[in-house]
Amino acid sequence: MHDAKTSINELKELAEKFREERDWKQFHTPKDMAMNIVIEGGELLEHFRYRTNDEIRQFLSNPDKMKEISNEIADVLLGLLYLSTDLNIDIASAFDEKLRLSAKKYPIEKAKGVNKKYTEL
C-alpha cells in the first residue's frame, strides 16, 4: 500500500473488514471512537513532549522511533476511519469543505507566514 495509490474508501474497507472479523463494532460507539482518537493522539504526542526542537530532530532521525510514530499515526487514522464510517461521513467531502472554510478565515494575503488565529488577522 502507498498513499499515492490507496483511496480513503479502500482504507475504510480494510478497517471495516478488520473490525468485522473480530466482532468489535459492538464496542465502537461514537463516544468511544472519539475518545480513542484523542487517546491515540495523546500517545503520538508523548513522543514529542518535553523535547526541544533539536532533540525532536535527533529523535526523528532514528528509524525505530519513526516506526513508533508511524504506528501512532495509523492508530489515530484507524479511529477516524471507524468513526467516519459509523457516522456516514465522507472524509474527502468533509476535508474539502473544511479547507474551503479555513481558506475564507485565513486568506493568503492576511495569513501567509503568520501564526495568528483568524480573529486576530
Side-chain angles (χ1 to χ4, degrees):
M1 297 186 87
H2 192 274
D3 281 0
K5 297 180 181 181
T6 308
S7 72
I8 294 171
N9 191 59
E10 288 172 305
L11 294 176
K12 281 183 165 184
E13 287 174 356
L14 289 168
E16 195 59 27
K17 181 178 186 285
F18 181 87
R19 177 165 71 170
E20 285 176 3
E21 290 172 341
R22 287 152 183 82
D23 193 24
W24 284 353
K25 191 170 184 174
Q26 62 183 317
F27 309 116
H28 291 179
T29 66
K31 172 192 64 102
D32 289 323
M33 284 296 92
M35 288 178 9
N36 174 268
I37 293 163
V38 172
I39 290 165
E40 295 298 346
E43 290 178 10
L44 173 62
L45 186 56
E46 283 182 306
H47 293 282
F48 301 98
R49 184 175 55 176
Y50 304 127
R51 289 192 166 100
T52 65
N53 287 335
D54 288 337
E55 290 169 332
I56 290 170
R57 274 190 286 281
Q58 183 178 358
F59 180 83
L60 296 176
S61 69
N62 180 327
D64 292 333
K65 299 301 182 185
M66 282 297 294
K67 186 64 176 171
E68 291 175 19
I69 290 171
S70 175
N71 285 333
E72 296 303 346
I73 289 171
D75 285 341
V76 172
L77 177 58
L78 187 59
L80 289 168
L81 293 170
Y82 287 150
L83 184 59
S84 65
T85 296
D86 294 345
L87 299 179
N88 295 314
I89 292 173
D90 183 288
I91 293 175
S93 295
F95 179 82
D96 182 59
E97 181 180 351
K98 181 61 181 180
L99 208 54
R100 289 174 194 266
L101 291 170
S102 293
K104 289 178 183 175
K105 287 181 180 179
Y106 297 95
I108 295 169
E109 60 276 2
K110 290 183 179 180
K112 188 170 184 173
V114 178
N115 68 346
K116 294 181 180 178
K117 188 171 180 178
Y118 68 94
T119 57
E120 299 173 353
L121 293 176

